[in-house]
Amino acid sequence: MAGSMRFSLIINADGTAAIQGINRVRDSLTEVGRVSSRVAGGGLNDVVSQLKSLAVTAAAAVGVSSLASSFMAANRAAGTLRASLQTVMGSVEGASLAWEALQGFANATPYTLDQTVKAFIRLKSAGLDPSIAALTSYGNTAGATGNTIEQMASAVTDAVQGNYEELKKFNIDMGKSGDQVRITFQGVTKTVDDNADAIQKALLEIGNTKFAGGMELQAKTLEGVIS
């Protein structure tokens, strides 16, 4: 076939729409190929073949672009989390140690790194124990009740500040009793002093005893890395 043809493909930011459009072009080109075989002795088939190849290549390019965007978004999110860790830890070194330990914890549990780091930051910011042992206990409670570790950390920090509503998601009922608080779980009520240490200790005990095994933690030596 004499001469040459130039084809341009413009893909906008909506990768899904682009791929759908490409698929429609591909299907149309297949039909053109069938017609060309009958009316042009197959002379048009080379052009059709090139166009179909272009469509496939473009679809792959859209996929690569989408993947690259996902990586960039993940890197930005990780950077934000690390910056927050540095704030609560007070140093780059402390943040790095915490990050590595939390990565290990996330890899060994059902919880994502994002959830784990945010849970740590919530606890640390409230002056509570964010150690691997504490995260394991809270992870047990969260896992056994169908919640995330971040939700549990949020409920604990609320509880020490006098807001007990979120703990109901974990089947734990708390209420004021003078200068103490009542913690009721599975029909058993325990009364503790109304301070952060006592409340935290009681909630950790629930995760370590009543909900032990609620989260499968693989054997890893992480305790002591962060505190």
Side-chain angles (χ1 to χ4, degrees), residues 16-27:
T16 300
I19 291 176
Q20 291 173 344
I22 288 167
N23 287 337
R24 288 195 293 270
V25 171
R26 180 198 60 202
D27 294 339

Side-chain angles (χ1 to χ4, degrees), residues 105 110-123 128 134-135 137-160 163-172 203:
F105 180 86
Y111 305 112
T112 66
L113 179 61
D114 179 79
Q115 294 169 347
T116 300
V117 173
K118 287 179 179 178
F120 175 89
I121 290 172
R122 282 182 181 274
L123 295 169
L128 301 176
L135 291 175
S137 172
Y138 295 142
N140 285 339
T141 302
T145 54
N147 294 284
T148 69
I149 193 170
E150 183 185 358
Q151 289 173 312
M152 182 60 187
S154 178
V156 172
T157 56
D158 281 354
V160 300
N163 183 357
Y164 314 127
E165 188 65 25
E166 289 298 305
L167 281 176
K168 292 180 181 178
K169 295 179 181 178
F170 304 88
N171 303 318
I172 300 172
L203 294 176

